[in-house]
Amino acid sequence: MSRTTATVAASLPDHWEQLVTTALLGTDRRTPPGVAPGPQTPSDLLDAAAAATVRRRAGLCPARPAERLRPAPEDPRPPLPHAAARRLAALLADRPGASGGGRRGAAPDLMELLPQWLQAANARGYAAPPQALPALLDAARGRTDLRPAALRFAGPRALWLARLNPDWRFALRAAPGGGPSAPGLRDPQGIRRLWQEGLFAERVTLLTALRSRDAAAARALLEETWATERAEDRLMFLDSLRAGLAPDDETFLERALADRSRNVRETAAELLSALPASALAARMAARAAACVAVDRTRDVPAIVVEAPHECDAAMERDGVVAKAPAGRGERSWWLGQLVEAAPLGTWPGRLGGRTPEEIVALPVTDGWQGELHAAWCRAAVRQRDAAWSRALLGEPSAPEAGGPGAVSLAERARLLAALDAGERAAWVAGFIETHGLSEAFQLLGVCAVPWAPALGRAVVDALNIARDAGSYPWSFSGVMGLAERCLDPSEASRLDALLAIPDEPEDAAPGAGSYWSEAFQRLVTTLRLRGAMLAELTPGEPAP
């Protein structure tokens, strides 16, 4: 810097805004403070700006340091075996193909195996590798069905990460104790504060978590603020009582029958009807029994039905919806609701001491059988009554492909859910042996995984029959996908005979045999991969 420049710089005050304004306007229109106008003025302005810049940088006060990030909490669970950790990385790295549709090829769909891997890892109590947590949270963000298992496996470190990345905030809402100020379940004051001040999602998560540990405390918390909650919030909170529903909930639910929201009243009535000893169940039993009886004057005893002629205020209070949907008669609509809500234990005494099978086998007069049996189906599902579910399902080999009371595949699937896993698998296997796979997809979805040997054999045999028929495998892609995830991995060796391309009959679809061979190759490869996955999670066990 020249002597003249140094003199100018020293004489100029550090008025940065004025220097900037002068530079924008030009020195011919404005002269910098303390500088005589002349040909040197532009140079003097730049020298002054340079000096001011140095002074501004040298005199900058450091900002207050941010609070040091607390370390992630320790995860006390044992680490994954190395082979299982590598497998997890491969599963998380796989992404669905961008092409969509079309031919799948023989390669397994790794993302579809991730839920099963997570379930097995959680059952063995392993901790997630820290380096896998970001990909695990990304996968759970994109698939809500993965979230419960993924967050359980990810553990406390996932919540620590989720507080640092807005894209992962769903983990804070989904996991008990995940909010920034969420209390522990043993902190009564913190629980009450969060219940009174928290966001709706935080309150739902808190109530659900507390309900699983202390049902009475959760109900008491809900009662404290029930009168001031919004109708839509009351409905969601009330729905949380399904978990651990017990006779102790009856008093609260009876009060909810008088709620100003119709949806809340209906939900309260549904929950009460699932308590066979409740006062509402007794009232519904009395109403339903007055409508259904056995006519013993006939040569063959038959059930006679006299549907209600009106829906009075007491019925409406107990959850009966007065207005029938379009296309439904009012009396049949009311009858169905009464029978559905009545305890199934009402009927043996009312109908001559008969068993559920004997009751379902009785003829019903005047065309009421469909309505009555459908209501009994809904009652069996609601009350999870295995005896009635078994009677309404009937034999799986029935020619009509359904029991005497089941009105749809979805209804049969719900009835099957009330049976134990072994009986469920045996029924579905018998159904497939008689009716094939075309109607079995929904029924297979309720069977325990891995499928029982008899069920697995029935599915494979039915797929083999479909292949021999010469049609394309695409109409069975849903069942094939289920088989890849649900067949016992030990079945892989039995399927090797299906990998060859079969001789195609004359009326077969062109190329169908090669497509079937490819589909079975993918099935066998996936089963062996699942077997290897489980072996990696259980060191010391040989792969199948």
Side-chain angles (χ1 to χ4, degrees):
M1 184 181 294
S2 66
R3 182 177 301 176
T4 303
T5 302
T7 303
V8 171
S11 65
L12 281 176
D14 187 7
H15 299 304
W16 180 257
E17 295 299 331
Q18 294 184 32
L19 294 175
V20 171
T21 301
T22 301
L24 291 173
L25 294 176
T27 54
D28 56 338
R29 299 180 61 185
R30 174 175 292 190
T31 302
V35 177
Q40 285 294 110
T41 301
S43 298
D44 292 343
L45 172 63
L46 294 176
D47 288 342
T53 298
V54 172
R55 281 198 298 269
R56 286 164 63 86
R57 290 176 177 173
L60 181 66
C61 294
R64 184 182 298 275
E67 183 180 352
R68 177 175 293 181
L69 190 64
R70 294 182 179 180
E74 292 295 327
D75 193 331
R77 297 173 296 175
L80 269 178
H82 292 302
R86 289 194 299 270
R87 180 74 64 188
L88 173 62
L91 294 176
L92 290 171
D94 188 69
R95 291 290 181 268
S99 60
R103 192 166 177 170
R104 287 181 56 193
D109 187 343
L110 298 185
M111 276 300 289
E112 289 304 315
L113 297 181
L114 182 58
Q116 197 168 111
W117 189 97
L118 289 170
Q119 181 183 15
N122 284 331
R124 291 160 174 78
Y126 287 122
Q131 66 273 18
L133 291 176
L136 191 62
L137 286 168
D138 280 340
R141 179 192 178 202
R143 285 183 54 175
T144 56
D145 62 306
L146 282 178
R147 289 182 183 179
L151 294 179
R152 179 184 169 191
F153 177 63
R157 290 176 173 176
L159 301 181
W160 181 85
L161 277 177
R163 295 188 182 101
L164 305 177
N165 186 345
D167 289 343
W168 298 333
R169 291 296 172 89
F170 70 87
L172 304 180
R173 297 189 297 269
S181 59
L185 295 178
R186 301 183 187 277
D187 178 9
Q189 292 183 348
I191 286 174
R192 182 167 283 102
R193 182 172 58 253
L194 180 59
W195 178 251
Q196 294 173 348
E197 302 174 4
L199 300 174
F200 173 70
E202 294 174 327
R203 299 176 74 207
V204 170
T205 300
L206 173 67
L207 188 65
T208 302
L210 187 60
R211 179 73 177 178
S212 66
R213 294 177 62 109
D214 188 342
R219 186 180 61 251
L221 197 67
L222 183 55
E223 288 181 297
E224 284 183 9
T225 59
W226 181 257
T228 60
E229 303 288 355
R230 301 182 305 167
E232 55 268 33
D233 294 352
R234 292 199 304 276
L235 182 62
M236 289 291 293
F237 293 145
L238 192 63
D239 201 59
S240 70
L241 298 185
R242 294 182 190 277
L245 185 66
D248 291 343
D249 298 318
E250 181 179 359
T251 302
F252 174 70
L253 292 173
E254 275 283 345
R255 290 201 299 270
L257 289 176
D259 196 271
R260 55 188 178 274
S261 166
R262 188 186 74 180
N263 290 334
V264 172
R265 293 195 302 271
E266 291 176 0
T267 301
E270 180 187 345
L271 293 173
L272 281 168
S273 69
L275 296 172
S278 67
L280 178 136
R283 295 192 296 269
M284 288 298 198
R287 293 174 181 131
C291 300
V292 181
V294 173
D295 183 356
R296 296 181 176 85
T297 63
R298 299 169 180 260
D299 294 336
V300 177
I303 294 177
V304 291
V305 173
E306 182 65 29
H309 290 275
E310 65 173 344
C311 181
D312 57 31
M315 289 169 61
E316 288 196 64
R317 181 185 180 276
D318 283 347
V320 177
V321 179
K323 185 176 178 56
R328 286 289 301 274
E330 285 185 330
R331 296 182 65 198
S332 65
W333 171 244
W334 299 331
L335 173 73
Q337 293 179 80
L338 295 181
V339 173
E340 177 183 355
L344 289 163
T346 302
W347 302 111
R350 173 62 175 164
L351 301 178
R354 291 175 170 85
T355 65
E357 287 81 3
E358 292 169 338
I359 291 172
V360 169
L362 287 174
V364 183
T365 63
D366 300 327
W368 284 104
Q369 178 168 321
E371 186 66 49
L372 183 61
H373 284 194
W376 277 334
C377 281
R378 296 192 297 272
V381 170
R382 180 183 294 188
Q383 299 170 38
R384 298 193 65 81
D385 190 298
W388 275 87
S389 295
R390 194 176 298 117
L392 291 161
L393 280 166
E395 292 298 323
S397 57
E400 65 273 18
V407 295
S408 67
L409 284 169
E411 191 99 54
R412 289 196 284 275
R414 288 191 288 269
L415 288 170
L416 281 167
L419 306 181
D420 64 61
E423 187 176 1
R424 200 183 313 161
W427 197 96
V428 177
F431 182 93
I432 292 172
E433 289 170 359
T434 303
H435 305 289
L437 290 171
S438 59
E439 295 185 344
F441 182 77
Q442 286 181 288
L443 307 181
L444 287 167
V446 301
C447 292
V449 177
W451 287 337
L455 177 58
R457 286 193 297 271
V459 171
V460 172
D461 289 346
L463 287 171
N464 196 16
I465 291 170
R467 181 190 68 160
D468 291 343
S471 60
Y472 287 121
W474 301 317
S475 57
F476 300 97
S477 59
V479 174
M480 188 68 81
L482 276 178
E484 292 170 12
R485 299 188 297 275
C486 303
L487 268 176
D488 193 307
S490 63
E491 294 286 318
S493 58
R494 197 171 69 85
L495 297 174
D496 284 337
L498 301 177
L499 300 182
I501 299 176
D503 295 331
E504 297 181 358
E506 294 181 359
D507 57 346
S514 63
Y515 284 107
W516 274 107
S517 176
E518 188 177 83
F520 279 119
Q521 178 66 57
R522 182 174 60 250
L523 174 58
V524 171
T525 304
T526 303
L527 292 180
R528 292 199 167 117
L529 177 57
R530 284 175 51 213
M533 282 169 32
L534 295 177
E536 291 162 357
L537 287 166
T538 311
E541 287 191 7

